[in-house]
Each structure stands twice: as C-alpha cells, then as structure tokens.
Amino acid sequence: MNRRVVAAIDGSPGGLAAADWAARQALYRGLPLALVHVSREQPPVEAIPISAASPGGGVSRLISDKAHRDMIHSDLDILTVQMAGNPRKVLLHEAGGAEMLVLGSRPLRSLGGFVPGRLGLHLAAHSDRPVIIVRQPEETEGGRARGPGQGPTMVLGLDTDHRTDELIDFAFRGAQAAGADLRVVGAAAPPVFPLHHFVPVSPEERARLEDRERPALEQALKGWSEKFPEVQVDISVVLGHPDEVLVDASQGADLVIVGRRRTVGPNHLGAVANAVVHHAPCTVAVVPHD
C-alpha cells in the first residue's frame, strides 16, 4: 500500500480547509501528503514538491498562504499534483492504496445542512479507502468549545450487528494520532407499533432498553483499549434511529466516523452515512468495510 494522505484542492474555501486538515493528519500519522488538483481542461504536468512552488503559482496558489508556509517549514513530506481528466476517475485512482482521501464541503444554512457536492458523494460511495469530508471552521457552529488542556474529540458510530474491525481500527488509530478522546456510540432500536410508528417510552424504559444494548457494544470493543491504551474511550448507547443518534452525537465533536458496507453495493452510501454527511456539524469520515 502506498500509504499517504491525499487531499483534493481547487482553491475554494472548502478546498483550503481540506488541505489544512489533511496536512495535520499527515503530520499526526507520520505520512506524506499529496495535494491533488484535477482539471478537465488543463493539460497534465509533472508532480512538483511544494517547497519548489512559489506561493503565487502552480498548485500552491490553491492552498492558503498560511498553510503553504506551515507546510514548507514542517517536516511534512508534500507532493503537489496537477492532472487533467474526469475528477471522479482521477481522484479514485489517486486514493487507491492511500490512507485516506480528504475533500471539502460547503454549508447550506437555510436547510440546516451541508452540501458535499456530487463529486464528494460519488467518492464517498465508491472509494475503497476512507473519505473525509471537511467542514470549514466557520461552518461548525456546533463545534467544540474546549477548556484549558482539553483535546479533540472523535465520535465513532458502531452497529454491533455489523461489527467491523476496519472501522474500529480507523477510529482508534485516528484518535491515537491526534491525541483525541474517542466516544463510541450505538443506537438502541425503540419499540414500534405494527405500522412502524414509535411507541412512546418512559425515562425508566428508555434507560432499560439502552442498558440492554450496552454489553454488545462493550463486547465489540473488547481488546481495543488494550491495543491503544493512550486513547480515552467513552461508550454510550442511545435509544433512536441510528442516523439521528449519530448526528446528535456529533454535536460538539471534531470528527464523526461512520461506516459504509461494501457488500451493499459499490455505489451505495447507505442511509446512516448519507444523513451524517449532510447533517453532522463537524468533519465526517466515511470508512468502507466488509
């Protein structure tokens, strides 16, 4: 595997946020960073090191001046790539074997959500590697307000009926690299009437149903805390639909991680991942798994 972090950049605010986020992840993980710009019209050119590119020209013009300065003066191994062709095909190819593919998004405040764009949705549904959709800092109104010495928080949505080590491994490795706390969230199915309407439950019944599902979540995580002892883990089970539970849990988080089952189909994002991508107020990681 050609382990590197790949970020798609285009000069937009979302692209700038994606480049900055990807650079931090590459530094955390000790991996090289590839900044990729794809144009349908521009002829392809050779990849050039970012340190050789002037801030006003080449691909470096598509990232912020601050990010350019920080990258040059860090120990980060960076390559900028300009390519021509279909962005979907090019980025899927560039992501092949990479640690992750990082993209930007834009807010749609009137509808209370976000627009990853057709390209982002296509890549999240088709990529065989994790796809990260980055929110710009000004988008994250539900962002985390940290106290002194408080680090970042990641949220992992876990379905114990379709447990996957790929998803759990991504979450723990990411939390360890970033020095983040990890909150693992499971959804307990509420009782329903025959016509699939929810049955109202008392607080006592809610607590009982949530407690009933907790052992399965703990069993799914067995051994992972021992493997990653530096990661502080909190486990919670919440009554409700998985998509609503995970979107609510992402409030105040820095990153929410959701799975996408490959067995459902190569172009199917899934209802939960689709809801999280469109409505979570923080950066979203979509991790494909078997």
Side-chain angles (χ1 to χ4, degrees), residues 15 17 29 35 62 73 90 95 108 110 114 136 145 156 166 175 193 195-196 201 204 214 224 236 260 277 290:
R29 296 167 181 261
L35 300 173
L62 300 173
H73 293 100
V90 171
L108 189 64
S110 62
F114 297 86
Q136 302 165 48
L156 167 63
E166 291 175 84
F193 287 122
L195 294 179
H196 303 290
V201 297
E204 294 77 15
R214 186 180 178 90
W224 287 96
S236 63
R260 173 182 69 81
V277 165
D290 295 326

Side-chain angles (χ1 to χ4, degrees), residues 48-61 63 68 72 80 82:
I48 54 175
I50 195 168
S51 57
S54 65
V59 175
S60 58
R61 77 183 188 279
I63 63 175
H68 187 270
I72 290 175
T80 60
Q82 299 181 84

Side-chain angles (χ1 to χ4, degrees), residues 82-100:
Q82 299 181 84
M83 303 186 74
N86 184 316
R88 293 182 177 186
K89 294 181 179 179
V90 171
L91 290 173
L92 281 176
H93 179 268
E94 289 298 307
E99 191 80 357
M100 65 185 74

